[in-house]
Each structure stands twice: as C-alpha cells, then as structure tokens.
Amino acid sequence: MQHNVGSHSVEVIDLKKQFTNKQTGAVNRVIDNVSFTVSENSFFTLLGPSGCGKTTTLRCLAGLETADGGEIRMNGRSVFSGEPRRDIPPEARPIAMVPQSYGIWPHMKVFDNAAFPLRHGRKTYPRDERRRRVLAMLEQVGLADYADRWSSQLSGGQQQRLALARALLCEPEVLLLDEPLSNLDAKLRTQLRAELRSFQQDAGVTAVYVTHDQAEALAMSDTIVVLNRGRIEQIGPPGTIYDSPASRFVADFVGSANLVAGVVDARAGLGDRVVEVKTAVGVLRCARFATPPAPPSAGQEVSVCIRPENLRIFTSDDPAAGHNRFPARVTSVEYLGDRKEVHVAAGDLTLRAQADAHLDARPGDEVTVASDPAWTVALWS
Ligand SMILES: Nc1ncnc2c1ncn2[C@@H]1O[C@H](COP(=O)(O)OP(=O)(O)OP(=O)(O)O)[C@@H](O)[C@H]1O
Ligand SMILES: [Mg+2]
C-alpha cells in the first residue's frame, strides 16, 4: 500500500461504544465520542486508569469489537463506519495485535508460534522463505537459540518477545499492543520498553500502545492520549502532557501534582500569556495553561498545578522578591539519597516539594516556598 511519510496512519473519528447492563438497563458509555489521528511510524499511547476504555478502543481498531458509531480509517481506507455501515474483519485490516496475555500457544515450539501468521495469515510464504524470515526475526528479538524449544519453557520476558516477533512477522502497518509489559517485573519492564521502542522504529511500523503506567507512556511515546471514563482529556507529546496538563485529572494521573484551588483574580490582567489566581496562599501567577474553553472571567474557579520539582524551598530569607512566594512550615523531610522529599504546610494546604539532597531543613522550620510562574499551571477543569 502506498503512503507518505508523516501522513496519518490511523484516524479515529467520533468513535462511540456503549454496553448496556441487561439486568438494570444501565448504559455504560465506554467510548464516548473519541477522535484522534496517529501519524505514520509513530508510537501512539492510550493512557488511562483501569476501566477507562483502553482495551475496548484497541479492540475496535483491531475489528474484534464493533463500535456503535463513528469511523476508523487506516492508511486512508475506511475499515469501520457506523453510517453507512462498514465493518472490515480483523484479518482484512493492516494490523497485528499483541494481547495482554501474549496469546502464545504452549503446545507449539517457539519457531511454530512465530511462523503461524506466515502459514495462515494475510501473506503466506513458501517453506524456505518462511523459515528464513522466522529465524531472522527470532534472531532480532534474541530468541534464535530457542527456536526448537517448547514455548511453555519461555520466561515472561521471552514470551513477550516471541509475541512481538510473531506480530511483526505479519508485516502489519499498524501494531496494536495491549499492556504488553504489565506481567513482567519492574526491572525487565524498563529494559523491554526501550527494546520495544527500538523494534518499532527499526520495523518502521505504526504502534498503538495501551498502558495505565504513566512512566511507561512518558518514556516510550511520540504522542499520548489521556483517557478518562471513555473521553479524551488531552492529546499531546509526553513533554506537553507532563509540563502543561490540561485538566486536574491529567495533572494528577500523570506524575504527581500539588493542586491549589482558587479563583481568577479580578484585579489581574487576564492576558493571553498569564492569568493570576487568588488562592489560600495569595495570588499565584500562572504563565502556563491550555487554551481556555471560554475566555476566563474574574471570579471563575480554577486550580493551580505545581509539580513537586518546581516548588522551591528557601530556608533563609531569600533576597530576591518575586511572584508566587509564600511562607510555609516544614512538616516532614525524607532523605532519598539523590534528593529530599519535603512536605510543607501553608495554612490548610499541604504541599510536596522535591528539594536538593543537601537542603538543611527540619520539621518545624519556617521557610519560604516559591514557584516560578513559567512552571505554574492554571487548570480550567
Ligand atoms: N463485553 C463487555 N460487556 C460489558 N461491559 C464491558 C465489556 N467489555 C468492557 N466492558 C466495560 O467497559 C469498560 C471499559 O473496559 P476496558 O476493558 O476497555 O477498560 P481498560 O481501560 O482496558 O481497563 P484495564 O486497564 O483494567 O484493562 C469497563 O467498565 C468494562 O467493565
Ligand atoms: Mg484493558
């Protein structure tokens, strides 16, 4: 199939899927008007908490689940549409899927597991070519020496690699991965996420990846879509999601955040670049925020997000005056080797700061805390 680099590999438009509880009649909108586009050869991640609709979205892309409405296009071709009705079966879509459980057949040898799609899939090959391709792929994923072993003898990490090899042997244009690392221990998970990312790039395949692990999403993705109860909270590159969260949900779910409630200050200029928010610790100037859904107005309730690493602590009087400075009292200090985790109380608020490992602060100390407006985020919702 012909396509241009940088073009859209997957387009999802107003996708809807609901399940109805047969006993109660209650309707669960699992995918609630979701739209996104995935650029060709990019690593695109669906991130969200358990039950937010990640697997259902992936299964709709695969054709294993039929959506109620909307459209799914792959490389410009419509593979699903609600109106007019179109639902191309999984085997006719340019995809391969690695399910969460890997789907490795234990009664087959490693080689035969990997070779399966080349015997029965979209594109089959004669015996010798098949053998050559399978062995080359097993070599690439580090399983060359295991070709003749029973698949049941593989470790979790090896099974994960085998599942990936089998999916890549389908030569999919879009690789769908449902939490493929979640069954592995923490160390292996970090190692394999880097491997997975480089396989994806070497293979030149578009990846749609599902995870509830924000660190994994930040580390691997070109683009992240944060899902909450079947709706999109934010779409963007990892740096934007982390540094400029668009909602309280995103700020809290991705990384950790100090959230301070407030209202837009009447006296402050409601400029395009900064917004000032009246809070329990004084006026906080925010130079970072998503485009508001409507022009902000004085008195409007907003939240201010400050990441712990952006909250600075001064133990002695800091000569430089500036914005977003307020007194606080240290309530706890944890030494973590490379840094100190400091909790401070300011009025009724408790805030978390990541401080220098050598900061000389003890519980009970009166300090000044500061947050650079450039890294202080106003949240409209
Ligand atoms: N076949 C089904 N029938 C009824 N409800 C379903 C069905 N499949 C999924 N759901 C419901 O849809 C919602 C989303 O499920 P989904 O599996 O997509 O979530 P998820 O984001 O993948 O969660 P997890 O991180 O736990 O895997 C859940 O509330 C789930 O109970
Ligand atoms: Mg799931």
Side-chain angles (χ1 to χ4, degrees):
M1 195 174 286
Q2 204 184 344
H3 41 247
N4 306 320
V5 172
S7 66
H8 292 143
S9 189
V10 180
E11 289 166 272
V12 172
I13 305 146
D14 279 338
L15 200 68
K16 298 174 200 48
K17 174 76 184 171
Q18 60 183 41
F19 292 109
T20 308
N21 184 315
K22 290 199 181 72
Q23 266 115 48
T24 64
V27 172
N28 183 3
R29 292 209 174 90
V30 175
I31 306 176
D32 198 359
N33 276 303
V34 161
S35 303
F36 57 80
T37 56
V38 184
S39 309
E40 195 179 348
N41 294 344
S42 72
F43 199 107
F44 188 91
T45 298
L46 303 170
L47 171 68
S50 184
C52 74
K54 305 181 295 293
T55 296
T56 308
T57 306
L58 207 64
R59 287 173 56 82
C60 286
L61 292 179
L64 299 169
E65 194 83 71
T66 305
D68 299 322
E71 188 173 10
I72 301 171
R73 303 171 70 82
M74 289 180 176
N75 291 326
R77 189 169 72 113
S78 181
V79 296
F80 169 81
S81 126
E83 193 62 51
R85 198 77 189 161
R86 183 183 303 109
D87 196 11
I88 306 285
E91 61 276 11
R93 298 187 184 197
I95 53 121
M97 181 152 167
V98 178
Q100 184 165 349
S101 51
Y102 309 139
I104 299 296
W105 296 293
H107 61 282
M108 281 189 198
K109 297 271 175 72
V110 167
F111 180 93
D112 296 319
N113 256 296
F116 194 84
L118 301 190
R119 286 193 180 116
H120 308 281
R122 264 193 304 277
K123 217 190 247 174
T124 54
Y125 289 96
R127 197 165 182 276
D128 286 351
E129 176 62 9
R130 196 162 69 214
R131 187 168 177 76
R132 194 189 65 73
R133 283 174 177 259
V134 170
L135 290 177
M137 183 61 75
L138 289 177
E139 176 80 44
Q140 249 193 59
V141 300
L143 291 177
D145 296 342
Y146 294 82
D148 293 326
R149 292 245 196 128
W150 292 106
S151 307
S152 52
Q153 295 171 358
L154 296 182
S155 71
Q158 289 165 337
Q159 285 185 42
Q160 197 276 331
R161 290 197 185 98
L162 175 55
L164 181 67
R166 190 175 60 189
L168 289 174
L169 279 164
C170 298
E171 297 175 65
E173 284 159 29
V174 182
L175 182 61
L176 307 171
L177 302 141
D178 193 354
E179 311 228 20
L181 305 181
S182 63
N183 295 333
L184 308 174
D185 66 54
K187 200 168 164 200
L188 197 55
R189 215 159 52 212
T190 338
Q191 183 197 329
L192 284 187
R193 77 184 183 205
E195 279 183 18
L196 193 55
R197 171 76 205 196
S198 65
F199 285 142
Q200 176 262 333
Q201 290 183 323
D202 294 347
V205 67
T206 305
V208 181
Y209 187 88
V210 161
T211 183
H212 63 271
D213 182 330
Q214 46 103 11
E216 214 169 275
L218 292 173
M220 300 175 85
S221 317
D222 295 307
T223 305
I224 297 174
V225 41
V226 182
L227 287 174
N228 179 24
R229 298 165 185 246
R231 288 171 187 244
I232 292 180
E233 291 272 338
Q234 190 173 4
I235 302 181
T240 305
I241 299 284
Y242 185 84
D243 287 332
S244 305
S247 66
R248 277 192 293 268
F249 180 85
V250 175
D252 203 43
F253 190 73
V254 183
S256 64
N258 294 298
L259 292 174
V260 182
V263 296
V264 174
D265 191 358
R267 290 166 305 134
L270 302 174
D272 296 341
R273 304 249 159 85
V274 287
V275 59
E276 300 202 326
V277 180
K278 232 185 333 192
T279 73
V281 294
V283 172
L284 294 177
R285 175 178 273 243
C286 309
R288 192 173 277 268
F289 44 83
T291 309
S297 56
Q300 179 188 340
E301 289 185 13
V302 290
S303 298
V304 176
C305 161
I306 306 168
R307 298 283 186 202
E309 67 273 23
N310 295 328
L311 196 66
R312 301 187 57 201
I313 295 187
F314 298 98
T315 49
S316 55
D317 276 349
D318 176 45
H323 293 290
N324 302 358
R325 268 150 214 266
F326 50 92
R329 181 193 298 265
V330 175
T331 56
S332 72
V333 179
E334 248 183 355
Y335 175 66
L336 297 172
D338 60 337
R339 63 178 193 277
K340 272 180 180 154
E341 191 84 18
V342 182
H343 284 86
V344 298
D348 291 340
L349 281 176
T350 300
L351 302 170
R352 238 186 87 203
Q354 252 173 41
D356 189 274
H358 307 294
L359 179 84
D360 182 21
R362 289 182 185 75
D365 286 358
E366 301 289 341
V367 294
T368 299
V369 296
S371 164
D372 184 342
W375 296 99
T376 307
V377 190
L379 303 171
W380 312 115
S381 61

